Amino acid sequence: MNALNRHRALTAIWGSPRGWRGTAASVNHSDIGRRFIIAAFAFFAIGGVLAMLIRAQLATPGSAFVGSEIYNQLFTMHGSIMMFLFAIPMFEGLALYLLPKMLGSRDMAFPRLSAYGWWCYLFGGTILIGSLAFGVAPDSGWFMYTPLSSKTYTPGINADVWLLGVTFVEISAIAAAIEITVSILKVRAPGMRLDRMPLLAWYLLITALMMIAAFPPLILGSILLEVERAFGWPFFDPDRGGSPLLWQHLFWLFGHPEVYIIFLPAAGVVSTVLPVMARTRILGYGWIVAALLALAFLSFGLWVHHMFTTGIPHMALGFFSAASALVAVPTALQIFAWIGTLWNGRPELKLPMLYLLGFFLIFVLGGLTGVMLAMVPFDWQAHDTHFVVAHLHYVLVGGFIFPMLAGAYYWLPHFTGRARVPKLGEAAFWLIFVGFNVTFFLMHLTGLLGMPRRIYTYSEEMGWTWLNLLSSVGSFVMAFGFAMFAIDVALQIFLSRRSRRNPWGSGTLEWATPIPASAYNFASQPRVEDRDPLAADPDLGLRLARGEGYLAEARHGRRETMAVDITTGAVDHVVVLPGNTSLPIITAALTGSFFLCLLFGFYWLALAPVAGVIALGWRWAWVLGWREDLGPVSIRPGETAPTHREAPGAPGWWGSVFLLVSDAALLGSLLFGYAFLWVVAPNWPPPELIGGGIPVGLMAGLAALAGAALTRRAASASKAGPASSASRAAAGAIGAQAVVIAGLMFVGITELPPPGSHAYAAICWALLTYAALHALLALLCAAFLRARIGSGHVSGSRRLEASVAQLFGDYAGAATLIVLLCVLAPAVMS
C-alpha cells in the first residue's frame, strides 16, 4: 500500500462526516479539542466584557452605571466564567488536541467520553450564560459562601443556577481528567518510557490526577447546598446543627488545588515552548518532574490559606501558613530550570518568547504577593481587599493566560497550517502587557489603602478615585490587546500563506504529522527511543507516512492504536476504539434535562432523564466488543499483540479505577463533613440520635459482602467455568445488591430522625443515599455482566466487562460497610 492509498483508507475509517450530522456524531480528538478551545475563548470574551462593565462601574466614585444587584451578578459571573468556563476547558481542549500527537497515538483512550464531556461543557456553560441574559444569574460571589447563598438570603433561582450549572460543567472536567490520565499512562507510542515522555505530558498527567482528587469536594458541596435549598436539609444552617464553615472547607479543598490545576498546564506550555525558543533542551527534566509531584502533594494542604480570618486555632494557622510558604519552593525550582535553559541556549526573541518573558515578570510578582498573603498577620490586614484581587490576577493571568498565548502562537501553524501575519501579534502583546500591569498593579495600592473587594461603589473621600480610574483605563487597553489578538488569529486562519511543517524546528512528535493533522494523526505509529524524537530523526514523519511504523495497514474498518506498559513503554496490546456516534450528545442532553428539572423544581420528573441516562449507558457499553476471540493481531512485520479485550489492564479497566478514585474522594469529603459537624458545628450533640437498626444494618453489610463476593465469583467463573455458573453468580450478586438497597433505606426511614430536623440526620441520610446509589450501580454492573455472558461477549479471553464489574462490586461493598459503621456507631455505643 503506497502512502496515498494508505491515507485514503485511514481517512475513511477515522474521518468524520461533513455537515451538522458529522458535527453531532464526531468523536475525533482533534475536533473535540478545537471545539473546547473555541468555546473557551468565546466564554473568555464574555467574561472579559463583564470585567469591563465592573471596571466602568468602579472608575469613578458614586457611579450609577449599574446598581448593586446587577453588579453582584457581574462579578459573580465574571469569576465563575473565568474559573469554570475558560481556564479549565481551555487546557482540556489543548490536551485533547495535542496529547495523542505528542504521544505518537491516533486518538485518546475514550473518544466518546471526550465527546460527552464536550457536550456537557457546552450545555452547562449555556445554562450559566443564559441565566445572565434572563437576569437570574448567580449573585453570591463565585465562591457562593453560605449563608449568603442559602434560601433565606437568596430566595430565587440565582444560586441554584450556579450550583447546578457548575456541577454539570464539573462532570465534563472529571470526564476529561480520566481521559487524559488513562491516555497518558496507556495510549503512547511503543518505546516511550515515562522518562521519555514530553514534559507537557507530565504536567497534564499530574494536573488530571489533581482534578480527579480535587473536584469531588466541590461537587459534593454543591449537591449538599442544593439539597438544603430544595428540601431544607440543614447541612450549613447553624440553628439546626449545620455550619457555614463546612461549605468553605469543601469549596477550598477544591479551590486551592484549582489554582495549581490552572497553573500547571500553562507551566507545561512554558517547558515545551521555552527550549525551542532557546534552541536547546530543557535543563533539569528529572528535577522538574520531582517539583511537579511535590507541588501537587503540597497543594492539597493549603486550603485553609483562604480561611485565616474565620477563627482557626493558632496551631492550625501556623501549619497552613508554613505550608503556603513551602509551596513556593517547587515553583521556584521550575523557574530556575527555565532560567538555566535560557542561559544554556541561544534564545530568539520571537513572539512566543515575548509572552514567556511577560509571564516571568508577572508570575514572579504574583508569587511574591502570594508569600506575603501566606503570612497570617499580613493576611489579616489584606484579606478581602483589592490586594487579594490583584494577587489573584497576577497569578492566574500571568501564570495561565500569558503562557497560553505563547502556546497559541507556537501551535497555531499546527492548527491552521498557515504562518502568522507579522507585527500585529507584537502590538497585541504590548497592549495586553501594559494594560494588565496598569490595571492590576494599582489594585495592590487600593487594597493597601483599605478598598474592600466586591463593593459596587465608594465615596470620593476614601482617596481611591485616581487609582481606580487608571485601573479602569488600563483594563480597556488590555481589552484592545485581546481584540487585536483575535484579529491576528482570524487573519492567520483565513488570509495568511501556508506554513512549512515544523516551522520552529521542534523535537516533539506533534510536528511529525502533516499540518493541519489528518484525522488519524500518524499513517503508522512510531517507536520512540529519544525524549525529542524529531531531533534524533528529522525524517521520522516521512518514514511514518511510508508505513514504516506500527499499525501501518487499515484493516476491517477498525480504529486501532497502540497501548503500552505504563512504565517501560513496551508493547502491551492494540486498542480498538469506537467510531463516530450520536450517543454522547444524546446522553449529555438527557443529563442536562436532569439538571434543568432540578433547577425548575420538577423533582419527580427528574427521574425520567435518570432512567434515560441509565438506558443509554447500557447501550453505550453494549455496542462495544465482539463475540469471538480475535487472538494476537499483526502490528508490524514479524510482531503481534493481543487486542485490548483479550489483554489485562485495558484502558477501560484503568478508566474505571480512576473513576472510583474520584468517587472515593467524594466519599472522603462526605465523611470529612460528617466528622467536622460532630466536632465543630454548633448545637451538637443532636437532640435525637439513631434509635437502632443494628440487625438490619448487619444484614445489609453481610449482603454487601455477598454481593462483592458473588460478582468476583461471576468474574472468575467466566474465565474458567461454564457460562451457566458465571450467570448464576451474577444473578446472586443482583439479588444481594437489592437487599443492600432495601436494608439501607429501611434503616434511614425507620431509625433516623427526619432529615430536616438536624444536620446529624441530614448527613446520615446523605451517607445512606451514597451507599444505596453505589449498590444500585453495582447491581446494574452485575446485570450487564450477566447479559454479556449470555450473549457470548464474555469468555475466558474476553474478560473486560467481568473485571470492571468486579471493581464496582468491591467498591460498593466497601462503601456500604464504611457508611454503616459511621451511621450505626451512635446506636452501637449507646
Side-chain angles (χ1 to χ4, degrees):
M1 181 181 288
N2 62 36
L4 182 58
N5 289 335
R6 180 177 294 106
H7 167 74
R8 289 170 176 166
L10 288 170
T11 300
I13 294 172
W14 290 87
S16 301
R18 295 184 180 275
W20 68 268
R21 293 180 185 274
T23 299
S26 175
V27 297
N28 181 269
H29 77 98
S30 294
D31 293 342
I32 303 301
R34 280 190 290 259
R35 292 176 195 174
F36 263 105
I37 292 170
I38 293 170
F41 189 80
F43 285 125
F44 174 76
I46 295 171
V49 170
L50 299 183
M52 296 303 97
L53 296 176
I54 292 170
R55 288 313 317 170
Q57 169 66 21
L58 295 177
T60 56
S63 174
F65 182 65
V66 296
S68 60
E69 183 178 345
I70 298 299
Y71 184 83
N72 287 341
Q73 294 186 23
L74 291 178
F75 81 75
T76 299
M77 285 298 296
H78 169 70
S80 300
I81 288 171
M82 293 306 191
M83 286 290 187
F84 301 110
L85 301 184
F86 165 64
I88 297 297
M90 178 61 79
F91 110 74
E92 290 171 358
L94 187 68
L96 290 173
Y97 180 85
L98 279 180
L99 266 178
K101 301 172 178 66
M102 298 189 84
L103 298 175
S105 176
R106 285 177 170 162
D107 209 323
M108 302 292 281
F110 310 114
R112 296 180 305 171
L113 187 62
S114 298
Y116 173 71
W118 150 249
W119 292 113
C120 285
Y121 164 58
L122 181 65
F123 295 159
T126 302
I127 291 173
L128 285 168
I129 299 301
S131 70
L132 189 65
F134 288 105
V136 290
D139 55 4
S140 303
W142 71 273
F143 30 72
M144 294 295 289
Y145 278 173
T146 57
L148 182 63
S149 56
S150 66
K151 201 72 172 179
T152 303
Y153 299 101
T154 309
I157 67 169
N158 303 63
D160 302 300
V161 169
W162 191 96
L163 295 168
L164 296 171
V166 166
T167 302
F168 193 11
V169 171
E170 295 306 286
I171 293 174
S172 168
I174 293 291
I178 293 170
E179 175 81 281
I180 292 168
T181 301
V182 177
S183 296
I184 293 174
L185 291 178
K186 292 297 296 181
V187 189
R188 307 196 300 267
M192 185 179 281
R193 304 189 309 244
L194 286 178
D195 63 344
R196 288 178 182 160
M197 288 200 312
L199 268 175
L200 181 59
W202 272 109
Y203 278 93
L204 293 175
L205 172 62
I206 292 170
T207 302
L209 290 170
M210 291 174 67
M211 291 168 65
I212 287 171
F215 280 29
L218 176 65
I219 293 173
L220 174 68
S222 300
I223 292 171
L224 297 184
L225 183 52
E226 181 59 27
V227 169
E228 176 174 300
R229 289 177 55 84
F231 304 111
W233 293 18
F235 299 105
F236 309 105
D237 180 3
D239 293 333
R240 291 180 289 165
S243 173
L245 285 183
L246 175 59
W247 169 264
Q248 289 198 38
H249 280 289
L250 293 174
F251 183 87
W252 291 116
L253 276 168
F254 147 83
H256 206 93
E258 162 84 345
V259 173
Y260 300 98
I261 288 169
I262 291 172
F263 165 66
L264 285 180
V269 171
V270 176
S271 292
T272 302
V273 176
L274 186 76
V276 179
M277 296 296 107
R279 294 180 286 178
T280 187
R281 287 196 172 196
I282 191 74
L283 186 69
Y285 178 100
W287 284 100
I288 291 175
V289 173
L292 296 179
L293 295 170
L295 191 64
F297 176 78
L298 290 171
S299 70
F300 285 91
L302 307 180
W303 80 93
V304 179
H305 171 89
H306 299 269
M307 301 172 62
F308 284 166
T309 62
T310 59
I312 302 295
H314 283 199
M315 183 172 289
L317 288 176
F319 171 82
F320 286 104
S321 178
S324 300
L326 185 62
V327 80
V329 175
T331 305
L333 195 154
Q334 294 174 75
I335 292 172
F336 284 125
W338 295 328
I339 294 173
T341 301
L342 290 174
W343 185 268
N344 195 47
R346 293 170 295 143
E348 296 179 294
L349 200 61
K350 296 180 178 179
L351 184 54
M353 192 67 206
L354 277 179
Y355 279 102
L356 294 182
L357 293 176
F359 152 77
F360 278 122
L361 176 63
I362 294 172
F363 183 74
V364 169
L365 288 175
L368 291 175
T369 56
V371 173
M372 293 168 66
L373 289 168
M375 303 299 108
V376 175
F378 182 83
D379 185 82
W380 281 349
Q381 303 302 314
H383 187 74
D384 266 348
T385 69
H386 270 228
F387 188 93
V388 178
V389 177
H391 158 71
L392 177 68
H393 285 82
Y394 262 77
V395 170
L396 294 185
V397 176
F400 182 78
I401 291 179
F402 273 78
M404 282 299 184
L405 291 174
Y409 279 111
Y410 178 76
W411 280 298
L412 262 173
H414 201 292
F415 281 81
T416 65
R418 297 181 180 273
R420 74 177 188 88
V421 179
K423 303 303 180 184
L424 193 59
E426 284 81 358
F429 164 77
W430 286 111
L431 287 173
I432 294 170
F433 181 78
V434 172
F436 172 83
N437 282 286
V438 171
T439 302
F440 293 104
F441 185 82
L442 298 179
M443 285 191 189
H444 291 99
L445 305 181
T446 55
L448 291 173
L449 290 173
M451 183 175 179
R453 62 200 299 193
R454 299 186 293 276
I455 60 169
Y456 80 101
T457 191
Y458 55 92
S459 64
E460 189 172 0
E461 291 76 17
M462 302 304 297
W464 307 327
T465 303
W466 280 104
L467 291 173
N468 273 302
L469 179 60
L470 290 173
S471 283
S472 297
V473 171
S475 70
F476 280 88
V477 172
M478 180 170 55
F480 288 134
F482 282 115
M484 192 172 292
F485 164 79
I487 294 170
D488 190 22
V489 172
L491 289 175
Q492 178 169 336
I493 293 172
F494 297 110
L495 297 178
S496 186
R497 59 182 173 82
R498 295 288 300 177
S499 172
R500 61 185 175 88
R501 185 185 291 194
N502 197 7
W504 308 104
S506 175
T508 47
L509 275 175
E510 76 271 22
W511 297 105
T513 69
I515 56 173
S518 304
Y520 51 84
N521 293 336
F522 300 94
S524 60
Q525 292 184 248
R527 180 167 188 85
V528 174
E529 303 291 350
D530 192 272
R531 197 174 291 160
D532 292 312
L534 277 188
D537 184 2
D539 296 327
L540 179 62
L542 180 61
R543 293 195 299 102
L544 295 177
R546 290 200 299 253
E548 297 179 15
Y550 292 88
L551 300 178
E553 303 301 321
R555 55 192 175 195
H556 310 302
R558 294 199 297 255
R559 297 188 175 191
E560 296 179 330
T561 192
M562 295 300 301
V564 299
D565 179 80
I566 289 177
T567 54
T568 67
V571 170
D572 199 344
H573 53 264
V574 176
V575 182
V576 181
L577 298 172
N580 297 321
T581 174
S582 57
L583 281 173
I585 186 174
I586 297 172
T587 308
L590 277 177
T591 309
S593 300
F594 167 74
F595 283 102
L596 287 174
C597 287
L598 297 181
L599 179 62
F600 294 110
F602 304 137
Y603 301 115
W604 286 107
L605 186 61
L607 296 176
V610 169
V613 168
I614 292 173
L616 284 174
W618 187 287
R619 176 65 179 170
W620 190 307
W622 189 266
V623 297
L624 300 177
W626 40 86
R627 289 185 171 90
E628 67 280 342
D629 294 342
L630 299 182
V633 297
S634 174
I635 55 177
R636 65 176 180 175
E639 193 171 349
T640 61
T643 55
H644 72 282
R645 289 188 167 270
E646 299 173 24
W653 186 86
W654 280 106
S656 300
V657 168
F658 287 110
L659 175 61
L660 291 176
V661 168
S662 186
D663 202 348
L666 191 142
L667 176 59
S669 302
L670 187 56
L671 294 173
F672 167 81
Y674 180 75
F676 179 85
L677 292 175
W678 266 105
V679 175
V680 174
N683 295 313
W684 284 70
E688 185 180 358
L689 291 170
I690 189 169
I694 296 176
V696 177
L698 183 61
M699 178 195 69
L702 292 174
L705 291 174
L710 287 167
T711 304
R712 281 179 164 269
R713 170 62 184 159
S716 60
S718 68
K719 179 179 181 180
S724 58
S725 174
S727 182
R728 285 195 299 271
I734 295 170
Q737 298 297 351
V739 171
V740 173
I741 296 169
L744 292 170
M745 293 299 97
F746 181 85
V747 169
I749 293 170
T750 62
E751 304 297 340
L752 280 174
S757 62
H758 194 272
Y760 161 76
I763 199 74
C764 285
W765 261 107
L767 286 165
L768 291 174
T769 303
Y770 177 92
L773 288 175
H774 285 76
L776 175 61
L777 185 59
L779 184 154
L780 292 172
C781 288
F784 184 81
L785 175 59
R786 187 169 187 266
R788 295 289 271 190
I789 292 170
S791 66
H793 283 87
V794 177
S795 71
S797 299
R798 290 170 279 116
R799 299 187 59 252
L800 179 57
E801 288 93 341
S803 60
V804 171
Q806 180 177 316
L807 279 175
F808 281 91
D810 290 348
Y811 182 83
T816 298
L817 293 177
I818 292 171
V819 165
L820 286 172
L821 181 64
C822 292
V823 171
L824 295 178
V828 172
M829 293 185 294
S830 62

